[in-house]
Amino acid sequence: MSATTVQNNTRTFVAGEALDAYLLVKVESNGTVVKATATAAEPKIGFTVAPAASGEAATISLTHGGGTSYATASEALSIGDIVYGDAAGKLSASGSSGDKVGITLTAATTDGDVIEVAPIHS
């Protein structure tokens, strides 16, 4: 993880499933949040700050809240990579142009590494 301080706006949602920390989430029609997928058109809202069990409160670092967020990589990533959501709420360097999530500010060497991401809005 980066040595910088993450300052970001957060919001609490109800977890619609068990969520690990630092996963990209989307909002369901009932207002809960679940892991985002690789689908470009889904309403991705931000990243989990800590683990949450299904039905519990989940604090989300909002992608439109300003600042940076911590995220989980699904593969090796370099600083400056444009990243996209994958099927498990993690980030990868491949995806559709309409599904850009952010730019990596720290590198990942393998699946599961926690990285710092500056959100971008496509």
Side-chain angles (χ1 to χ4, degrees), residues 109-121:
T109 58
T110 189
D111 178 28
D113 281 357
V114 175
I115 58 173
E116 187 177 8
V117 176
I120 56 175
H121 313 290

Side-chain angles (χ1 to χ4, degrees), residues 9-97:
N9 290 328
T10 60
R11 184 181 189 279
T12 302
F13 293 85
V14 173
E17 64 181 338
L19 298 168
D20 290 330
Y22 313 125
L23 292 179
L24 182 63
V25 294
K26 64 179 180 175
V27 177
E28 295 286 272
S29 61
N30 64 2
T32 64
V33 291
V34 296
K35 288 177 271 203
T37 68
T39 304
E42 66 188 10
K44 295 172 179 71
I45 193 73
F47 298 90
T48 55
V49 173
S54 181
E56 290 187 348
T59 302
I60 306 302
S61 174
L62 301 170
T63 55
H64 290 352
T68 61
S69 296
Y70 290 122
T72 303
S74 66
E75 61 189 6
L77 297 168
S78 299
I79 294 172
D81 281 351
I82 293 176
V83 288
Y84 306 82
D86 83 350
K90 297 178 182 180
L91 300 183
S92 72
S94 59
S96 66
S97 62

